[in-house]
Amino acid sequence: MFYHVKELQFNARVSKPDPKFARLLLEQFGGANGELKAAMQYFVQAFSVKNPYPDKYDLLMDIATEEFSHLEIVGATIQMLLSGVNGELKNASDESEIMKLLDGQEAKEDFIHEAIINPHFGVLTGGGPALTDSNGIPWTAAYVTANGDLTVDLRSNIASESRAKIVYEYLMKFTDDEYVKETLRFLMTREIAHYQMFEAALATIQPNFPPGILQGDPRYSNTYYNMSSGQDATGPWNQGISTQLGETWQYIEDPLQQVLETEGLTNLAPTGTDRTQKTIKELEKELSKLRSEEIISATAEIDQQWSTYDKFGGIATEL
């Protein structure tokens, strides 16, 4: 159940109309890294985790709903940035406010250029935001990623929050309106908060690496191939201990030689790791049972009644 409160989560304000920045801000309204994408992604992901991970269901639904709040903030800001513009476009008088805003031939040509790049925004939306990106490309469900494995989805969400954060950071460079910057800074900061929430949630699922069930072949999971010549570099990604599996990186200086000597890597023995084909098979068996129970739980008969409607307003006990 959604309950809409007409007050914005954040007090969005603008100091003056700015149709050009309004167009840029569409990127966070209907773009690939925008608020609608985030809201729908977390909303869709939540359904399959309600029974196996009720705490993560709560997290995803809470953040998805907050993302709708952010979509409302972005839409309201776009609307305020367009204040008076659409109506004045219908005013034939050269003394109209839009003509004053576009004072000078260069400014008028810039406005025409913007209209050519994204004509729907200026002509068909009636002076309001549209579910497109800044170039008029319609929003699509293809932006949404939901893989049905919570460890994969949470990593996707961390990446989504990272991309959204950097878009807000870039957008702030294109406006000198302090009120608008204040709003963008709030939205950017919430991306940082959500990143940490998803990261913390992922850490509570153990084991969570590698994503999925099947484990990597120990012959290849810690080899680094020097596949480009010149200015070679070393770091924790190719020397020392690997971050997740705790294996010792094997730096292959001449990948071609190794391929030839091992008949296409088929005769390669595991090196720098305690993992064996036997141990990974045992782990895969354990994880298969665990993840299978999660899927069965997600589609169990309990779903025939989704809610229990606890009249006391507490956490309802599942049937």
Side-chain angles (χ1 to χ4, degrees):
M1 180 179 70
F2 284 89
Y3 180 84
H4 181 248
V5 178
K6 298 178 182 63
E7 305 298 336
L8 294 182
Q9 181 188 18
F10 183 83
N11 184 20
R13 298 173 291 172
V14 305
S15 63
K16 61 184 182 300
D18 188 348
K20 294 181 70 173
F21 187 73
R23 177 204 153 193
L24 288 178
L25 194 51
L26 278 175
E27 202 60 43
Q28 292 302 85
F29 194 72
N33 299 305
E35 301 293 352
L36 179 61
K37 172 264 176 76
M40 294 309 301
Q41 179 162 305
Y42 310 153
F43 183 72
V44 169
Q45 291 173 357
F47 287 99
S48 63
V49 304
K50 180 176 184 292
N51 290 333
Y53 296 104
D55 55 339
K56 310 307 188 298
Y57 174 80
D58 182 51
L59 169 73
L60 287 166
M61 281 297 186
D62 281 345
I63 299 182
T65 305
E66 184 179 359
E67 300 291 10
F68 281 118
S69 297
H70 296 172
L71 182 70
E72 185 177 26
I73 291 170
V74 173
T77 302
I78 291 172
Q79 186 66 45
M80 289 186 289
L81 289 169
L82 293 173
S83 177
V85 171
N86 191 263
E88 292 295 344
L89 282 171
K90 297 176 175 63
N91 189 338
S93 170
D94 284 340
E95 298 302 317
S96 65
E97 289 298 318
I98 188 62
M99 289 300 104
K100 294 176 183 177
L101 185 65
L102 302 178
D103 185 32
Q105 185 64 30
E106 184 179 351
K108 292 180 182 179
E109 290 177 356
D110 285 346
F111 189 81
I112 292 171
H113 175 69
E114 295 287 328
I116 291 173
I117 293 176
N118 186 0
H120 290 184
F121 186 45
V123 178
L124 300 182
T125 65
L131 285 176
T132 72
D133 66 12
S134 57
N135 285 323
I137 299 173
W139 188 89
T140 169
Y143 295 153
V144 173
T145 59
N147 293 94
D149 185 302
L150 187 55
T151 68
V152 175
D153 285 343
L154 287 173
R155 287 184 169 92
S156 292
N157 297 349
I158 290 170
S160 294
E161 297 294 329
S162 300
R163 288 190 295 268
K165 189 268 182 186
I166 203 66
V167 172
Y168 279 122
E169 188 170 328
Y170 292 154
L171 281 169
M172 281 192 275
K173 300 179 185 295
F174 290 91
T175 179
D176 58 2
D177 189 321
E178 290 302 321
Y179 287 151
V180 174
K181 283 185 177 181
E182 188 179 30
T183 298
L184 298 182
R185 193 172 293 110
F186 164 77
L187 294 169
M188 182 194 74
T189 304
R190 292 307 296 162
E191 310 296 350
I192 297 170
H194 292 166
Y195 178 110
Q196 296 176 95
M197 295 172 196
F198 289 133
E199 186 179 44
L202 176 62
T204 67
I205 304 171
Q206 295 297 334
N208 67 41
F209 187 88
I213 297 170
L214 299 181
Q215 305 300 296
D217 192 315
R219 294 176 295 174
Y220 315 123
S221 56
N222 63 336
T223 49
Y224 180 94
Y225 295 106
N226 182 30
M227 301 293 276
S228 56
S229 60
Q231 297 182 329
D232 296 337
T234 58
W237 54 88
N238 59 19
Q239 65 178 5
I241 306 300
S242 62
T243 59
Q244 298 289 336
L245 296 177
E247 300 171 323
T248 302
W249 287 115
Q250 305 299 301
Y251 188 94
I252 311 302
E253 181 67 45
D254 190 342
L256 177 58
Q257 181 182 357
Q258 189 189 57
V259 167
L260 295 176
E261 291 177 350
T262 61
E263 297 185 23
L265 305 182
T266 57
N267 293 330
L268 189 68
T271 306
T273 178
D274 294 331
R275 298 193 311 134
T276 65
Q277 296 292 354
K278 180 181 179 180
T279 59
I280 66 171
K281 288 295 182 185
E282 292 174 351
L283 183 55
E284 286 176 353
K285 185 177 180 180
E286 294 174 8
L287 279 175
S288 293
K289 183 175 184 297
L290 177 63
R291 299 294 187 247
S292 175
E293 291 173 352
E294 291 173 2
I295 296 297
I296 293 172
S297 174
T299 55
E301 291 183 3
I302 188 174
D303 291 339
Q304 300 306 312
Q305 180 169 318
W306 192 262
S307 302
T308 55
Y309 300 103
D310 175 19
K311 65 181 180 180
F312 298 106
I315 297 176
T317 302
E318 299 293 344
L319 296 176

